[in-house]
């Protein structure tokens, strides 16, 4: 009880103004209403925290809710996730820390989610226990495939928008991904406690741009704990339960995996059909590898072992898997003996878009550098590398990444976690050369280009970019895009003073300083989203 009172004082500030004096009947009635509402909220909170401690108890499939949170960088996604864990009693107050689900130092420093997490919460609503599975999503365009697989594992999503900043490019991209997966979207206007917040304007913006009805949008402040119980109620009421397909052959969607040095690869998955038990022989349908499930369990957010998981549940599996490549994100798990007829749709292998050379500053660090890259690749199946030598910098590796942020993160992790000092060459992209004899050659390095006589044509990768900007900066941004060989496609006003610019331009022009230039020309107000088109 003492911990609940502590929790109430520290997370849900109730009006700090002095209580009204009893000088009139009206004021007395207001005070009574205020105190009774306060007591009701406190009672619900205490019940919720008590129930939340019993997370391994099974609930009917109708009482399971799988949801994720989609937001632009720095709109309060991690803070909201923290508050949901706290309010449902999933994490004890003494264990709580800011950005609880962000485990890497890099994520905490930059305020972004790089490696997604999952958490199972238990919540009481109208005296019935519900199991809420939060499946986190990384917050950057480089990881859009991982985001799409996380959303495919859910039935609903919270669309979190900063009530002072409004809709940003990344928010739009992830909303469209969620709509493609037919998710129920609940709009949440965060940071309403800030002096510059304007929830009415932002709600209009969401209605105009995305087409969502925001008349019942939830106003909240994740930092101050305002509106969190309303969000939990909305998840139970609006997000549909999973389909009851426990009788079908077992199929599960992998939405993340990581390498543990003692247990091998740990796979995070959502059960779509059927059931899986500890000790079952399982098959990964894309890699055709089979293993015995030594351990299965739920993520809450720490790993808790169970004996069985059924359709609709989210959990992890440990089966002494040696390489992340055997259990890729988006693959389907099924039983070895009773195979499913078809794998789940949407799986594709991650293809690197941006290449650069990485070289150790000291030549004697090369063996350590090679070991570090191999260890990092165990955790990150999208990282590709091959040996390269340079007359100026000696021996190193040419590495392929999903994008510029992915490149920065890999370089920083190599330097921090493995004590290396690295030199990075300027990033480049893959060109496709169609030869005269009909062959096609992919070149990530100018030295790989065929002889001039053998080249028929050269193709370069193109991206479609969308910039959201205040109308004052439209001219400078159009000038920047045209300087970078951009082809104008569309311009539309999404609100009275904000516009969306759509261009197609070569990826080679994007990987330089395009983003920095865009930010400096728009004084930091514009945001960017890009997608590969061919």
């Amino acid at each position: 009880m003492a911990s609940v009172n502590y929790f109430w004082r520290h997370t849900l500030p109730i009006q700090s103004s002095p209580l009204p004096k009893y000088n009139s009947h009206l004021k007395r009635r207001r005070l009574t209403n205020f105190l009774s509402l306060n007591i009701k909220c406190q009672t619900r909170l205490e019940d919720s925290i008590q129930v939340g401690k019993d997370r391994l108890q099974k609930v009917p499939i109708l009482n399971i809710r799988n949801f994720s949170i989609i937001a632009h960088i720095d709109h309060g996604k991690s803070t909201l996730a923290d508050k949901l864990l706290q309010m449902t009693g999933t994490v004890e107050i003494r264990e709580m820390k800011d950005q609880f689900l962000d485990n890497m130092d890099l994520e905490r420093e930059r305020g972004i989610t790089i490696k997604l997490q999952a958490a199972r919460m238990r919540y009481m609503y109208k005296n019935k226990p519900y199991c809420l599975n939060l499946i986190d999503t990384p917050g950057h365009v480089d990881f859009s495939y991982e985001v799409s697989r996380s959303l495919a594992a859910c039935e609903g999503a919270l669309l979190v928008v900063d009530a002072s900043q409004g809709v940003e490019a990344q928010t739009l991209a992830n909303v469209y991904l969620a709509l493609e997966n037919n998710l129920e979207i609940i709009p949440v206007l965060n940071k309403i406690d800030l002096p510059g917040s304007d929830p009415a304007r932002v709600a209009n913006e969401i209605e105009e741009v995305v087409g969502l009805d925001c008349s019942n949008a939830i106003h909240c402040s994740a930092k101050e704990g305002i509106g969190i119980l309303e969000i939990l109620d909305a998840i139970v009421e609006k997000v549909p339960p999973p389909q009851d397909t426990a009788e079908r052959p077992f199929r599960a969607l992998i939405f993340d995996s990581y390498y543990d040095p003692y247990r091998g690869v740990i796979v995070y998955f959502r059960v779509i059909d059927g059931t899986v038990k500890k000790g079952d022989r399982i098959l990964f349908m894309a890699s055709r590898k089979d293993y015995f499930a030594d351990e299965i369990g739920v993520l809450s957010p720490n790993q808790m072992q169970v004996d069985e998981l059924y359709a609709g549940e989210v959990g992890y599996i440990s089966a002494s898997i040696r390489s992340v490549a055997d259990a890729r994100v988006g693959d389907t798990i099924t039983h070895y003996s009773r195979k499913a007829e078809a794998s789940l749709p949407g799986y594709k292998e991650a293809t690197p878009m941006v290449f650069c050379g990485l070289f150790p500053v000291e030549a004697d660090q090369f063996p350590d550098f090679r070991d570090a890259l191999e260890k990092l690749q165990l955790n990150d199946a999208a990282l590709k590398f091959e040996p390269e030598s340079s007359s100026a910098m000696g021996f190193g590796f040419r590495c392929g990444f999903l994008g510029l942020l992915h490149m920065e993160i890999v370089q920083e992790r190599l330097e921090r976690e493995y004590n290396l000092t690295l030199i990075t060459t300027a990033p480049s992209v893959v060109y496709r050369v169609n030869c005269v004899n009909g062959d096609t050659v992919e070149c990530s390095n100018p030295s790989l280009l065929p002889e001039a006589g053998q080249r028929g044509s050269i193709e370069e990768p193109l991206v479609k970019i969308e910039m959201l900007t205040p109308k004052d900066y439209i001219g400078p941004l159009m000038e920047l895009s045209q300087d970078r060989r951009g082809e104008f496609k569309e311009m539309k006003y999404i609100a009275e003073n904000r516009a969306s610019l759509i261009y197609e331009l070569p990826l080679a022009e994007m990987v330089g300083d395009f983003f920095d230039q865009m930010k400096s020309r728009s004084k930091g107000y514009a945001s960017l989203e890009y997608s590969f088109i061919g």
Side-chain angles (χ1 to χ4, degrees), residues 444-470:
S444 59
N445 198 338
S447 61
L448 301 173
L449 271 175
E451 295 294 320
Q454 295 173 11
R455 287 180 238 158
S457 62
I458 300 180
E459 295 172 22
E460 64 177 340
L462 289 176
V463 288
K464 174 183 158 192
I465 65 165
E466 179 170 13
M467 294 178 281
L468 294 193
T469 172

Side-chain angles (χ1 to χ4, degrees), residues 104-360:
M104 275 188 242
D105 292 340
L106 261 175
E107 293 180 308
R108 295 173 169 280
E109 283 166 27
R110 289 175 174 234
I112 56 175
T113 304
I114 297 165
K115 195 80 179 138
L116 65 93
Q117 299 292 326
R120 175 187 178 118
M121 298 172 267
R122 193 173 165 84
Y123 182 61
M124 279 307 260
Y125 181 69
K126 294 185 178 171
N127 295 327
K128 286 184 187 170
Y130 285 83
C131 170
L132 312 182
N133 290 310
L134 164 61
I135 299 174
D136 200 9
T137 56
H140 196 271
V141 59
D142 286 4
F143 308 112
S144 58
Y145 173 63
E146 281 85 342
V147 174
S148 75
R149 296 303 84 208
S150 290
L151 294 177
C154 300
E155 278 83 28
L158 297 176
L159 168 62
V160 178
V161 180
D162 186 329
S164 58
Q165 291 181 13
V167 176
E168 301 279 0
Q170 189 68 48
T171 321
L172 276 184
N174 288 346
V175 167
Y176 294 144
L177 274 178
L179 291 171
E180 278 172 28
N181 285 300
N182 296 322
L183 300 193
E184 179 64 42
I185 296 175
I186 302 168
V188 175
L189 304 178
N190 192 18
K191 305 192 186 182
I192 57 162
D193 56 316
L194 294 182
S197 75
D198 186 353
R201 172 183 66 81
V202 175
N204 282 339
E205 218 170 89
I206 297 172
E207 286 186 348
E208 284 174 24
V209 181
V210 187
L212 282 177
D213 175 21
C214 286
S215 52
N216 297 323
I218 299 167
H219 293 199
C220 89
S221 165
K223 194 174 180 184
E224 298 294 340
I226 301 164
I228 306 297
L229 289 173
E230 286 90 332
I231 291 174
L232 289 164
D233 291 350
I235 291 167
V236 173
E237 287 169 10
K238 295 181 181 175
V239 175
Q243 292 181 323
D244 188 352
T245 52
E247 300 307 312
R248 295 186 192 170
F250 171 59
R251 285 197 306 174
L253 172 71
I254 300 176
F255 60 84
D256 196 25
S257 58
Y258 75 94
Y259 185 77
D260 182 305
Y262 302 105
R263 296 151 71 202
V265 175
I266 308 295
V267 176
Y268 293 174
F269 64 92
R270 146 84 196 266
V271 184
I272 305 290
D273 302 323
T275 58
V276 61
K277 294 186 177 71
K278 185 177 173 178
D280 283 356
R281 191 175 182 186
I282 55 169
L283 173 75
F284 296 98
M285 293 182 83
S287 60
R288 311 303 299 169
K289 297 284 171 60
D290 63 281
Y291 294 95
F292 286 96
D294 305 329
E295 183 187 316
I296 63 168
V298 297
L299 301 144
S300 189
N302 303 322
Q303 295 176 357
M304 301 166 87
Q305 289 192 44
V306 297
D307 292 327
E308 182 184 23
L309 289 173
Y310 53 78
E313 291 197 285
V314 173
Y316 73 91
I317 209 160
S318 166
S320 308
I321 303 164
R322 285 174 288 281
S323 163
V324 172
D326 292 354
R328 289 178 184 274
V329 172
D331 197 355
T332 306
I333 315 174
T334 186
H335 280 140
Y336 185 78
S337 51
R338 190 184 172 208
K339 293 186 185 68
E341 288 177 14
S343 55
L344 296 162
Y347 170 74
K348 63 174 194 257
E349 289 199 14
T351 49
M353 286 294 171
V354 175
F355 289 81
C356 77
L358 286 174
F359 297 88

Side-chain angles (χ1 to χ4, degrees), residues 328-446:
R328 289 178 184 274
V329 172
D331 197 355
T332 306
I333 315 174
T334 186
H335 280 140
Y336 185 78
S337 51
R338 190 184 172 208
K339 293 186 185 68
E341 288 177 14
S343 55
L344 296 162
Y347 170 74
K348 63 174 194 257
E349 289 199 14
T351 49
M353 286 294 171
V354 175
F355 289 81
C356 77
L358 286 174
F359 297 88
V361 170
E362 293 160 25
D364 58 353
Q365 279 192 334
F366 180 74
D368 298 340
F369 178 36
R370 184 180 54 224
D371 293 346
L373 273 174
E374 283 169 359
K375 283 177 186 166
L376 203 56
Q377 198 178 35
L378 290 172
N379 264 321
D380 188 349
L383 172 64
K384 303 275 190 288
F385 61 90
E386 55 186 35
E388 182 180 44
S389 63
S390 153
S391 52
M393 290 178 281
F395 292 104
F397 289 94
R398 184 142 194 94
C399 304
F401 308 96
L402 296 172
L404 291 174
L405 180 83
H406 188 215
M407 182 177 96
E408 269 180 60
I409 287 162
V410 168
Q411 185 192 344
E412 208 152 324
R413 286 187 69 186
L414 286 168
E415 291 183 345
R416 284 183 185 203
E417 294 171 23
Y418 302 98
N419 296 324
L420 298 168
T421 318
L422 301 173
I423 301 171
T424 315
T425 63
S428 62
V429 299
V430 184
Y431 290 86
R432 187 182 292 155
V433 182
N434 298 314
C435 299
V436 180
N437 62 3
D439 294 346
T440 55
V441 181
E442 298 214 329
C443 304
S444 59
N445 198 338

Side-chain angles (χ1 to χ4, degrees), residues 22-39:
Y22 296 101
N23 59 357
S24 77
H25 176 66
L26 183 67
K27 282 188 176 175
R28 195 176 302 136
R29 200 168 69 195
R30 271 190 197 152
L31 179 67
T32 313
N33 291 346
F34 172 73
L35 289 174
S36 66
L37 186 72
N38 207 352
I39 290 161

